[in-house]
Amino acid sequence: MIRELKWNDLDDLVNNYYSYYDELRDTPDFGISFYKKIPDFSSEVEWFTGLYKSVLDGNAVAVVAEEDGRAVGLCEIERIRPGTELEHSGVLGIAVRKGYRGRGIGEAMIKRAIELSKGKFEILKLEVFSVNTGAINLYKRVGFVEYGTFPKAVKRGERYYDVVQMYCTL
Ligand SMILES: CC(C)(COP(=O)(O)OP(=O)(O)OC[C@H]1O[C@@H](n2cnc3c(N)ncnc32)[C@H](O)[C@@H]1OP(=O)(O)O)[C@@H](O)C(=O)NCCC(=O)NCCS
């Protein structure tokens, strides 16, 4: 089920986020940029509260995929610097928990988030590791186009990753 964010999604979403740190150990190319130190629970509460507040304030949309009674994925679009000349744009982020990928959940979440963004944002943008070709293809499928590459944008240990920048006009 694809639905909007609820206040009681906090625990599932934090668990999902911590599971991505676990995945990083076996998947060095994992396509999310991480804090060097795993954020503690109180930082996560702060993140969730901030996102929830942004949704209430009309400065974000947040879509959750619920499976087996749990939130297994999140797609959020947050307004860039509200109150400035950049505020017509939103930045998209997305992740689906391992075990639930490759089944259309990501695509369904992005499509819902784009629908909710209409009338709220004029342009969406995102950044994706250039090695994450599956994700890049997914973004193209839902209407994003590439506009550049930031070389060596991510430094993970001794390895650098280029980041592809994409946008979508609503
Ligand atoms: C990228 C991601 C959000 C896509 O969600 P999803 O539910 O797997 O996507 P869908 O099932 O709707 O679409 C599948 C597409 O995603 C791609 N994909 C990327 N990573 C994948 C993975 N680990 N498993 C399965 N599919 C993956 C597939 O190649 C597929 O593209 P294709 O149909 O052209 O082959 C999800 O795979 C994920 O969370 N990956 C790890 C975190 C990440 O990379 N986030 C993106 C940061 S920019």
Side-chain angles (χ1 to χ4, degrees), residues 67-137:
E67 293 278 320
D68 312 319
R70 303 219 145 173
V72 299
L74 171 69
C75 176
E76 82 284 353
I77 299 174
E78 295 194 66
R79 192 179 303 286
I80 300 175
R81 292 209 251 151
T84 72
E85 293 169 331
L86 306 177
E87 69 172 3
H88 59 300
S89 300
V91 180
L92 183 145
I94 184 169
V96 174
R97 195 182 169 105
K98 190 175 182 177
Y100 294 90
R101 296 182 193 140
R103 295 200 216 156
I105 288 177
E107 183 167 338
M109 283 200 301
I110 299 180
K111 284 182 170 165
R112 177 72 70 87
I114 288 175
E115 278 314 306
L116 292 169
S117 292
K118 291 184 177 158
K120 211 173 235 124
F121 303 111
E122 293 174 37
I123 307 165
L124 305 181
K125 60 182 202 170
L126 62 81
E127 293 192 332
V128 53
F129 285 29
S130 64
V131 290
N132 202 351
T133 48
I136 293 173
N137 287 336

Side-chain angles (χ1 to χ4, degrees), residues 16-156:
N16 293 347
Y17 184 60
Y18 286 149
S19 78
Y20 305 138
Y21 275 89
D22 294 337
E23 270 191 78
L24 182 60
R25 276 187 235 122
D26 305 326
T27 316
D29 289 349
F30 194 73
I32 289 175
S33 56
F34 289 97
Y35 290 99
K36 294 192 174 175
K37 185 167 173 280
I38 301 179
D40 60 15
F41 190 69
S42 97
S43 311
E44 288 300 291
V45 171
E46 202 172 298
W47 161 75
F48 182 84
T49 310
L51 175 61
Y52 200 86
K53 184 175 182 305
S54 293
V55 173
L56 292 178
D57 291 344
N59 287 325
V61 302
V63 171
V64 158
E66 183 180 321
E67 293 278 320
D68 312 319
R70 303 219 145 173
V72 299
L74 171 69
C75 176
E76 82 284 353
I77 299 174
E78 295 194 66
R79 192 179 303 286
I80 300 175
R81 292 209 251 151
T84 72
E85 293 169 331
L86 306 177
E87 69 172 3
H88 59 300
S89 300
V91 180
L92 183 145
I94 184 169
V96 174
R97 195 182 169 105
K98 190 175 182 177
Y100 294 90
R101 296 182 193 140
R103 295 200 216 156
I105 288 177
E107 183 167 338
M109 283 200 301
I110 299 180
K111 284 182 170 165
R112 177 72 70 87
I114 288 175
E115 278 314 306
L116 292 169
S117 292
K118 291 184 177 158
K120 211 173 235 124
F121 303 111
E122 293 174 37
I123 307 165
L124 305 181
K125 60 182 202 170
L126 62 81
E127 293 192 332
V128 53
F129 285 29
S130 64
V131 290
N132 202 351
T133 48
I136 293 173
N137 287 336
L138 168 60
Y139 300 141
K140 285 184 180 159
R141 216 154 49 222
V142 297
F144 281 82
V145 290
E146 290 186 27
Y147 68 93
T149 299
F150 184 178
K152 296 186 171 181
V154 176
K155 185 176 182 185
R156 180 171 287 167

